[in-house]
Amino acid sequence: MAHYTDTTRVSGFGFSLRNTFARLREAHLRQRAFTETYNQLNALSDHELHDIGLGRSDIMDIARQTAARI
């Protein structure tokens, strides 16, 4: 008789390790997108930001929006 064991679930906790790792990876990708966007926009001069229609105060919101799309 064959025996089946589901190794992707932790007994008693009710969550899947696979889903946990997927959520952690997604969180990492969102954080990286936020950081890269923020750093790139923050490196621009005020004149360069103005040329693309942004102010320095917009940088945080744009970085958050970029991360939320992941």
Side-chain angles (χ1 to χ4, degrees):
M1 173 184 264
H3 180 71
Y4 171 77
T5 302
D6 184 2
T7 59
T8 62
R9 297 192 56 81
V10 176
S11 178
F13 292 105
F15 65 90
S16 167
L17 287 177
R18 184 175 295 152
N19 289 341
T20 300
F21 287 123
R23 285 192 303 270
L24 286 171
R25 182 176 186 275
E26 187 176 291
H28 172 73
L29 291 173
R30 279 194 306 268
Q31 180 62 40
R32 191 170 77 186
F34 173 88
T35 302
E36 287 179 5
T37 302
Y38 182 87
N39 289 340
Q40 289 175 4
L41 289 174
N42 199 41
L44 297 175
S45 70
D46 289 338
H47 181 76
E48 291 169 322
L49 286 171
H50 180 72
D51 283 349
I52 59 174
L54 300 175
R56 194 145 305 274
S57 62
D58 298 324
I59 293 174
M60 186 73 74
D61 289 334
I62 292 171
R64 285 184 187 136
Q65 291 169 6
T66 301
R69 290 187 200 130
I70 302 288

